[in-house]
Amino acid sequence: LKVQDTYYVEGSILNQYSLDEYDGFLRVVTTNVESILHEETNGETAHAYFERLPNNASLYCISLSTGDIWSSVERFAPDGETVQSVRFDKDTAYVCTSLVLQDPVFFFDLSDVDNITYKDTGTIPGYSMSLVDFADGFLLGIGYGDDFNDLKIEIYREGENSIESHCKYQRRCGFSPDYKSYYIDRENRLIGLGLEDYNDGTSRYLLLFFDGYELIPIMDVELNGINEYKRAVYIDEYLYMFGDSFRVMDPSNANRK
């Protein structure tokens, strides 16, 4: 591999989903952690100190042909907010920021990089660590609910000026914050992930079905292992689950093994 170019932007990048290339531009969303240097002189005594600014979020569009930052929207979130999830979809983007279990969602129109527009679509309780497209134009968010001990899986729809909650599933449990450990089957409208139930302490695998109206648990079985490493796939009406052990089940008949 040969380094083609290097780009610099302000802030830190949450994960690979905060980066996207489209139509000759690299789009990047960062959390800004900035400080201002102050220098004061009192007679012959010089004094310097840094003032740390509140966290915030910025979006940058970098031209891949020139390597320059072509356009940007800097510090668009409320002060103190950090980036929690980003969803790029061609010439649009959704960015979720959060401070304390409140999830402002920003929608960006990137169709004209010389004139980027965005809007705050409203605040959703809790926050989503991932925000991806799902069946029939819905958005799927997976993250925390009322507190950091609550799993929240939520289906959103975009209203005229806001992101609205369509339905959600909440459960008091531990789960993986890693997107690649989730099973998302858009064709069959299935969502699966490993969890640790706080009520009985068991390690489990949960499979939900979205019927267009609500999220329905269709399978909830014991599966030992670390949640980050659990995997599943649905093939020919059977769900194959991998943890410390291996299980195969028919979700339509959870007693059939």
Side-chain angles (χ1 to χ4, degrees):
L1 297 177
K2 181 180 179 182
V3 176
Q4 180 71 23
D5 209 340
T6 302
Y7 312 112
Y8 294 92
V9 294
E10 293 291 335
S12 59
I13 298 171
L14 177 66
N15 53 32
Q16 67 266 40
Y17 306 106
S18 299
L19 291 162
D20 181 76
E21 184 276 327
Y22 183 72
D23 200 21
F25 287 91
L26 178 68
R27 292 92 62 88
V28 186
V29 176
T30 68
T31 292
N32 300 112
V33 181
E34 300 179 57
S35 297
I36 299 176
L37 175 63
H38 295 276
E39 296 181 336
E40 298 177 350
T41 302
N42 184 7
E44 296 181 355
T45 304
H47 176 65
Y49 66 94
F50 285 94
E51 175 192 5
R52 178 167 175 170
L53 298 179
N55 291 341
N56 211 293
S58 297
L59 182 147
Y60 300 93
C61 292
I62 301 168
S63 170
L64 294 176
S65 60
T66 67
D68 298 327
I69 297 177
W70 191 274
S71 58
S72 64
V73 180
E74 299 184 38
R75 301 186 71 85
F76 60 79
D79 278 343
E81 299 281 315
T82 59
V83 175
Q84 299 298 328
S85 60
V86 181
R87 164 65 182 167
F88 286 104
D89 185 10
K90 297 181 180 178
D91 56 11
T92 63
Y94 290 95
V95 180
C96 296
T97 64
S98 181
L99 180 60
V100 183
L101 292 174
Q102 292 292 322
D103 199 355
V105 181
F106 297 90
F107 172 79
F108 286 84
D109 183 346
L110 304 173
S111 57
D112 181 359
V113 292
D114 292 316
N115 183 32
I116 299 173
T117 60
Y118 74 98
K119 62 183 179 181
D120 183 344
T121 67
T123 299
I124 297 169
Y127 69 80
S128 300
M129 294 172 294
S130 62
L131 188 67
V132 299
D133 61 330
F134 198 54
D136 300 326
F138 288 100
L139 294 173
L140 167 66
I142 300 176
Y144 294 105
D146 295 334
D147 59 46
F148 290 104
N149 294 312
D150 278 357
L151 162 68
K152 183 187 74 166
I153 301 174
E154 194 157 13
I155 300 291
Y156 306 103
R157 61 179 181 274
E158 184 181 359
E160 183 176 353
N161 295 302
S162 65
I163 294 292
E164 302 170 356
S165 176
H166 182 73
C167 63
K168 64 182 176 182
Y169 174 90
Q170 289 198 122
R171 180 167 178 171
R172 204 157 186 80
C173 64
F175 64 98
S176 168
D178 194 343
Y179 176 77
K180 65 184 178 184
S181 64
Y182 307 146
Y183 177 61
I184 299 174
D185 183 340
R186 294 168 176 82
E187 180 180 356
N188 294 299
R189 299 186 178 190
L190 298 173
I191 306 155
L193 77 169
L195 57 86
E196 179 188 358
D197 192 289
Y198 287 157
N199 291 320
D200 59 16
T202 58
S203 183
R204 313 188 67 80
Y205 198 86
L206 171 70
L207 187 68
L208 302 174
F209 171 66
F210 176 52
D211 67 353
Y213 301 96
E214 58 183 326
L215 287 165
I216 302 170
I218 59 173
M219 202 182 69
D220 184 357
V221 297
E222 285 197 43
L223 182 68
N224 291 326
I226 299 172
N227 291 326
E228 283 80 354
Y229 304 144
K230 292 178 184 176
R231 298 290 186 271
V233 61
Y234 182 68
I235 302 174
D236 294 335
E237 301 184 358
Y238 285 89
L239 187 72
Y240 298 81
M241 294 166 286
F242 302 84
D244 287 348
S245 58
F246 169 61
R247 301 193 69 173
V248 182
M249 300 189 71
D250 177 358
S252 66
N253 182 0
N255 294 319
R256 181 178 174 184
K257 303 178 182 179

